Amino acid sequence: MMRIAIIGAGPAGIEAALAARKAGALSVTLFSREPVLPYARPKLPEAAFTDGDVSPFSIHPQSWYDEHGITLRLDTPVTSLNVDDRVIQTPDGDEVFEAFVLAGGANPLKPIIPGLLASPSLYTLWSADDAKKISKHCRRGRIAAIVGGGILGIEAAICAAKAKKQVVLIEKAPRLMAGKLDKETSELVKSKLEALGVDVKVGTSLVSASQIASKLCLKLDGENKSIDVDMVILSVGAKANLSLAQSAGLAVDRGICVDETLQTSAANVYAAGDCAQFGIASHNCVAAAIEQGRIAGYNAVAALTGAEPKVCPIKDYPLHYIGKELEIHALGQTAERCINAKTVKMSAGKKANGALRMKVVRSDGVVAGVQMIDSSEGFLDLISGK
């Protein structure tokens, strides 16, 4: 019958389910531990600083799953996987499938900071429940500290500022998005955040916190004066969700180890998205999750039918953030990390009002990276080598 189970209903899981159905699977079940329709995770900051409702950001309506013959099981976490007997366990009991795609994503990191982890004013922003809790807290608090200057932290800072909150953004690296942006592009992002009223603190880290009534008193490294806030949102990265794979005896490292077809160490078991480790790399982005999901879903069926499996390409994926207040587009290496490379500023193009377009050029003339702020003009041509 070709019963395929997809465990995890983010972009990778949804694409795997669709690909499996298109490849000929007669039964595809998509398991989600959350009680709401799968949603676009990058939209969580917007939900958190409004009414906490993620339903406007659903990736598809329920009718889409029905039309494509995908059984969506909400609020149904998979608690164990027996790869030998092809059995999974959920709160509803044991179920048998012929192939699996693990797409359980990642979990937010919570570094040990004295006085912080036990605080009722500490949040992560990784789920619909997180967004709801932050929204509720926002009604009684007006000052928010966001720890982490990556793209999620930046978006959270923008949404909080738009919600008329006082915002402090704390990043321990010397600049925002240091892994993606060089100094000039990063400084422009910082200045645009400051224009929205965000207090951006780079080159420092949160070393301790103390709860005083409803306030959190934060101590930053190298600063004598503490900061009183109503809430702290951690946005300092994520770690692959490995618990199910580990308990099933699958090979894991920083992620679930997969080969070029995204098969795990067990036959007929595949992994895709943030939980998968392809070679030495894990890609934590929506574009990678979508592509890997399509390949894993197809290959899960191919393994049962004897069809030729697809191979997952080894490549870098662009980062895109598009908001009314700020656009960020980046791909490839920074000049700081690329040997004998330099940044070359291009004209601002049609969006001359504050836009910045940069490319990272190696000594042999090859473009190794592209960074654009408030413009995407020519981005696709540059990353394709035209």
Side-chain angles (χ1 to χ4, degrees), residues 26-61:
L26 298 179
S27 172
V28 175
T29 304
L30 179 60
F31 292 91
S32 174
R33 65 172 50 251
E34 296 196 74
V36 296
L37 283 172
Y39 53 86
R41 194 179 301 277
K43 292 294 187 179
L44 282 175
E46 189 173 337
F49 289 99
T50 52
D51 58 5
D53 182 15
V54 301
S55 61
F57 311 119
S58 296
I59 297 173
H60 299 295

Side-chain angles (χ1 to χ4, degrees), residues 83 101 121 149 160 286 321 344 352 386:
V83 296
V101 176
S121 301
V286 173
Y321 170 73
V344 177
K386 293 181 181 180

Side-chain angles (χ1 to χ4, degrees), residues 118-174:
S119 171
S121 301
L122 172 67
Y123 299 95
T124 55
L125 188 43
W126 205 256
S127 68
D129 189 53
D130 290 338
K132 187 179 296 184
K133 289 176 179 176
I134 291 171
S135 176
K136 185 177 180 180
H137 197 137
C138 280
R139 296 169 199 159
R140 63 181 187 272
R142 62 187 183 86
I143 307 174
I146 298 166
V147 182
I151 192 63
L152 181 60
I154 288 171
E155 184 176 7
I158 291 172
C159 291
K162 288 169 61 178
K164 310 300 182 184
K165 304 299 177 184
Q166 294 182 34
V167 186
V168 181
L169 179 60
I170 303 165
E171 169 55 51
K172 68 178 181 179

Side-chain angles (χ1 to χ4, degrees), residues 64-134:
W64 183 89
Y65 300 94
D66 298 337
E67 289 165 6
H68 288 87
I70 297 168
T71 301
L72 177 60
R73 300 269 293 276
L74 299 178
D75 203 16
T76 309
V78 174
T79 54
S80 72
L81 166 65
N82 184 320
V83 296
D84 295 323
D85 296 333
R86 303 284 187 260
V87 175
I88 64 170
Q89 186 177 72
T90 75
D92 298 327
D94 292 351
E95 300 181 49
V96 179
F97 293 88
E98 294 172 80
F100 303 89
V101 176
L102 306 184
N107 297 317
L109 292 175
K110 290 185 178 181
I112 298 174
I113 299 171
L116 185 62
L117 292 185
S119 171
S121 301
L122 172 67
Y123 299 95
T124 55
L125 188 43
W126 205 256
S127 68
D129 189 53
D130 290 338
K132 187 179 296 184
K133 289 176 179 176
I134 291 171

Side-chain angles (χ1 to χ4, degrees), residues 10-29:
I14 291 172
E15 292 297 327
L18 181 60
R21 283 288 292 151
K22 287 182 175 180
L26 298 179
S27 172
V28 175
T29 304

